[in-house]
Amino acid sequence: MSGDHVNAPESAPELLPLSPTSLPPPGAPLAHFVSQAPFDAHEAEALSPEQEKFYLASQLRLMWVKFKRHRLALVSGVFLAVMYASIVICEFLAPYNYQTRDTEFIRAPPQAIHLFHEGKFVGPFVYGYAYRLNMDNLKREYTPDKQKVYPIRFLCRGDGYYFWGLVPGDLHLACPAKAGVLFLLGTDRLGRDMLSRLIYGARISLTIGLIGVSISFLLGIAIGGLAGYYGGVFDLLTQRAIEIVQSLPHIPIWLALAAIMPASWSPILVYFGITVILGLMDWTGLARAVRSKLLSLREEDYVLAAQLMGAGTVRVVGRHLIPGFLSHLIASATITIPTMILGETALSFLGLGLRPPITSWGVILNEAQNINVVALYPWLMLPVVPVVLVILAFNFFGDGLRDAADPYN
């Protein structure tokens, strides 16, 4: 249409900085100012390098930053790391082989480490024993003999061993003097070094908790996850089975299952048998917690999106649902591991768990059942100390990990 006339738009007003002197009079319309300059979010917010690192950090980085604020959990984590690192080289750390006997020093008390002898610096050493038999109570009495000075040797050759039962060796971190003894935590009724037996026993007592919790978590997450994801008849049957298992008293069941293991089994088979028993008795609580959480999370939109995209049950549960309550799983693991360590210790203490020649903290404590023995030889109760320390460390470490993994904390 050639006769139509279209008015050209007026040119945009020039942008002026807004100041009190340039404000329009009252009642006048306000001009709309739009800046055409590119927007830089970092420049606008003036982020410091520390803030930028925090905002752009990954999830693991954020968890580590939050975990470091929990000082007690950090110390507990270092302590547990040292304990678990020590079980890898326990043969090297122990002064003696855990089966080595010295019949001349039966139930000898702990020796103290000294540095100076008669005012002269000697280095780390221990005094030998002066022994006498008390004929009134037939108790062996040991006193330090200042004439026997036994320097401690380091990185030395001593008792032979098989590293992890495979490679022969005889190198130790610390050894007694050539003609001396080194019993820093005393000896037991057979003259075996308590410190060496504690170091060897840590390998069994600490790993039995990890293997047991692996079995417990595998059953709990698998059964509870499927029950919560599918529901229906499978959920009903699972809940009834969990209620039956939880209604059984744990300690008598532990004792019964441990007692039926054949006496002809090797120590390794007994070890794995105790581990399986502990794992089979502790999965129900985790399964119920996983089931209740998945019942609520399966209705979320991201679960429906994953299903529409063709994700299978294992991927939906493992990749999308379980990470949603990771903090609860961490807390459960750090509670379950000490429980299994205590379970193995209790069974071995009662003589129904691990049996010699294998050694654990519970096996060592088995010798301290008699109160008269404890009163006369209190150092036989020393295995209680690492058990208590490890359990406390796991609890503090779990608190720190739970807080760090909680996205809402």
Side-chain angles (χ1 to χ4, degrees):
M1 296 172 58
S2 59
D4 293 340
H5 176 72
V6 180
N7 293 326
E10 298 180 359
S11 59
E14 183 180 358
L15 296 179
L16 297 175
L18 187 62
S19 63
T21 57
S22 60
L23 290 176
L30 293 175
H32 182 62
F33 296 95
V34 179
S35 176
Q36 302 295 328
F39 178 73
D40 188 352
H42 295 285
E43 182 180 354
E45 297 181 9
L47 294 177
S48 64
E50 291 76 12
Q51 290 176 321
E52 186 173 359
K53 287 182 181 180
F54 182 79
Y55 290 140
L56 301 179
S58 63
Q59 181 66 25
L60 291 178
R61 176 66 179 173
L62 293 177
M63 289 177 60
W64 171 243
V65 171
K66 294 173 69 176
F67 179 76
K68 287 194 300 183
R69 298 174 184 171
H70 201 304
R71 298 297 181 184
L72 193 56
L74 188 61
V75 173
S76 300
V78 173
F79 172 75
L80 291 175
V82 172
M83 291 293 292
Y84 276 95
S86 68
I87 68 176
V88 179
I89 53 173
C90 64
E91 295 90 351
F92 169 73
L93 297 177
Y96 295 91
N97 188 298
Y98 74 100
Q99 293 180 330
T100 299
R101 301 180 182 182
D102 194 333
T103 55
E104 295 183 3
F105 301 100
I106 294 176
R107 286 172 175 165
Q111 294 175 300
I113 297 179
H114 304 273
L115 296 176
F116 296 89
H117 175 64
E118 296 180 351
K120 297 181 180 179
F121 179 78
V122 178
F125 72 93
V126 296
Y127 289 115
Y129 291 115
Y131 161 74
R132 64 178 291 269
L133 180 63
N134 190 329
M135 300 305 297
D136 295 330
N137 55 12
L138 297 180
K139 177 184 177 183
R140 296 170 177 265
E141 296 180 348
Y142 297 90
T143 55
D145 187 349
K146 298 296 181 69
Q147 303 302 319
K148 299 178 181 178
V149 178
Y150 297 143
I152 300 175
R153 298 180 295 145
F154 295 96
L155 297 177
C156 47
R157 301 291 178 178
D159 286 353
Y161 55 79
Y162 280 90
F163 187 74
W164 283 87
L166 301 174
V167 182
D170 59 358
L171 181 64
H172 297 264
L173 176 64
C175 303
K178 288 292 185 180
V181 294
L182 181 64
F183 302 131
L184 299 182
L185 297 183
T187 61
D188 62 5
R189 63 184 178 87
L190 298 177
R192 296 172 297 190
D193 179 41
M194 287 289 293
L195 176 60
S196 300
R197 289 177 61 78
L198 281 177
I199 295 174
Y200 274 90
R203 172 176 290 175
I204 301 298
S205 296
L206 293 179
T207 55
I208 205 169
L210 292 181
I211 299 175
V213 81
S214 300
I215 297 174
S216 174
F217 263 53
L218 180 63
L219 293 175
I221 293 177
I223 297 176
L226 293 176
Y229 185 72
Y230 286 115
V233 177
F234 183 80
D235 182 29
L236 181 64
L237 296 176
T238 300
Q239 293 308 302
R240 301 295 79 78
I242 290 176
E243 290 169 0
I244 292 173
V245 175
Q246 288 184 335
S247 66
L248 300 174
H250 280 200
I251 293 181
I253 293 297
W254 280 352
L255 298 179
L257 293 176
I260 65 176
M261 286 190 297
S264 59
W265 278 13
S266 67
I268 298 298
L269 288 178
V270 175
Y271 167 74
F272 282 106
I274 295 295
T275 303
V276 172
I277 290 172
L278 296 175
L280 291 177
M281 295 299 297
D282 281 330
W283 63 271
T284 56
L286 178 64
R288 178 157 285 182
V290 172
R291 175 248 181 195
S292 61
K293 194 67 177 178
L294 261 63
L295 282 176
S296 60
L297 291 179
R298 70 178 184 177
E299 306 299 333
E300 297 291 337
D301 292 339
Y302 64 86
V303 176
L304 178 60
Q307 293 172 342
L308 294 176
M309 295 179 66
T313 301
V314 176
R315 179 172 178 82
V316 172
V317 174
R319 181 66 178 85
H320 300 287
L321 294 179
I322 290 180
F325 56 102
L326 185 61
S327 60
H328 178 81
L329 295 178
I330 292 174
S332 298
T334 53
I335 293 174
T336 305
I337 292 176
T339 302
M340 292 190 174
I341 293 175
L342 283 177
E344 179 275 325
T345 303
L347 289 176
S348 300
F349 175 75
L350 296 174
L352 295 171
L354 300 173
R355 297 185 291 268
I358 197 170
T359 184
S360 70
W361 292 340
V363 173
I364 301 173
L365 281 173
N366 182 262
E367 299 181 2
Q369 292 187 15
N370 193 332
I371 189 62
N372 294 325
V373 173
V374 175
L376 295 175
Y377 314 108
W379 57 88
L380 295 180
M381 290 293 293
L382 285 176
V384 172
V385 176
V387 172
V388 173
L389 291 179
V390 167
I391 291 173
L392 289 176
F394 265 115
N395 282 278
F396 293 137
F397 183 65
D399 289 340
L401 280 182
R402 180 194 58 201
D403 295 340
D406 189 355
Y408 303 104
N409 184 24

